[in-house]
Amino acid sequence: MSELYDVIIIGGGAGGMSAGVYAARGKMKTLIIEDKRNTGGQAATTSEMENYPGILEATGPQLMDMFREHCNKFGVEFVRGLVTGISIAEDGFIKTLTTNKGETYQTKSIIVATGATPRILGITGESEFRGKGVSYCATCDADFYEELDVVVVGSGNTAVEESVFLTKFVNKVTMIVLHDQGILDADRTAQEQAFANEKIEFVWNSVVEEITGDELVNGVKLKNLKTGGISELAADGVFMFVGTVPKTDFVKELIELTPQGYVITNDKQETSVPGIFAVGDVTDKFLRQVVTAAGDGAVAAVAADRYIEEEESWCKSVSEFGGTAMVAFWNPLSKESLDVINQLELKCKDHPEQRVVTIDTYKSQNIANRFSVSEVPVVIRFDAGQEAKRVDVKDITELETLY
């Protein structure tokens, strides 16, 4: 069993390393578990990085190297492994992670930053020729196709940007687009780059029915969606850019996911399980970009720090306290709750074995939710850490029933 971490981040992409920087700089003991040899996630496979503010000239791998250096500066620890399971202690605070290597790690909070993997269409020949002409990463494989002809499947930003990058190496790129002529899913700037590039050609209203070849890919069979006709196109490689699938199998029984498998989070990047956060491409979000993943990471790290502070304060002041704790749930907008706190403090002056603990329901929503407190004031009496009596205060005289 490892030492206890404040936060363990699963995944070393932009979101994970951003969280690492914020957490470690905030003096949290931080570990990033990455299942790949090199950190960086999807961003490390992206050739062009034109829209990360302040970075005018850098590739995806170069930017991710800078993220890693930033993590190193503040003492983030890194280990390699694939997280296969998460268990939570009975009190809900300490979490234990297990990896495919049989290693275990303990932590107070978790940030899931596992990202997403390229979507597999299941086209005939796709799996058979993977690594033999079928690729999902232009940055990784473009130089293998120098002066050759390749096909790109997809028409979103990634497909267009990677097609433009491929033209630096290949003889010709043919994009297979299922839309009518002139319609791409990419943004306007990317479209303009593609249409202006003489090495990029388009086949409209079509899908790839089959990837053909012998030892290596030698072409594709295309189906025209309007006529149903099948045609053949010679090609030395096929690059697939048709979206991604979130890497959430290891948490699908633990936290709430969308039907598509993405993690559902709130504005603090909190999941349905207190103390577990999620960031980046693995989450259900409008825009999946390096800059949004980095923002998610910053939010999650700060939220995890607040979560730990709240839980440790609760343990010290209530669950591990041997006397009686009068826990008053309140918020600053409720005059009634302020009156209740004043009354409790007056009572406790004559009872040194008692203490008053105040919980701001806005700042400590996890604890308020744990005890189903939706309206204030509410006072719960705990004896030696165990709930003994609850009063949803309508009249201040009801406090007498607590004693």
Side-chain angles (χ1 to χ4, degrees), residues 89-104:
E90 189 174 345
D91 64 2
F93 189 35
I94 303 302
K95 293 89 177 164
T96 301
L97 291 78
T98 57
T99 72
N100 59 332
K101 299 179 181 179
E103 297 165 327
T104 58

Side-chain angles (χ1 to χ4, degrees), residues 146-193:
E146 194 162 356
E147 299 302 321
L148 299 177
D149 295 340
V150 300
V151 162
V152 166
V153 182
S155 65
N157 270 43
T158 299
V160 170
E161 290 165 3
E162 296 307 280
S163 293
V164 171
F165 174 74
L166 283 166
T167 61
K168 298 176 182 179
F169 299 84
V170 305
N171 176 58
K172 182 178 70 174
V173 174
T174 302
M175 296 188 68
I176 312 303
V177 185
L178 55 80
H179 304 304
D180 288 338
Q181 183 170 345
I183 299 176
L184 300 175
D185 292 316
D187 63 42
R188 187 175 301 172
T189 299
Q191 291 187 48
E192 290 173 354
Q193 290 178 336

Side-chain angles (χ1 to χ4, degrees), residues 3 14 17-18 84 116 160 191 203 254 259 272 278 284 294 311 313 323 349 370 391:
E3 54 195 310
M17 288 197 286
S18 172
T84 55
V160 170
Q191 291 187 48
V203 176
L254 180 63
S272 57
D284 182 30
E311 291 296 327
S313 175
K349 284 182 178 180
R370 188 179 307 162
V391 175

Side-chain angles (χ1 to χ4, degrees), residues 211-236:
I211 299 171
T212 62
D214 188 8
E215 293 291 327
L216 301 172
V217 167
N218 62 21
V220 293
K221 291 183 178 180
L222 306 177
K223 179 180 180 179
N224 186 290
L225 296 176
K226 289 193 172 181
T227 67
I230 302 295
S231 61
E232 295 186 9
L233 176 68
D236 301 292

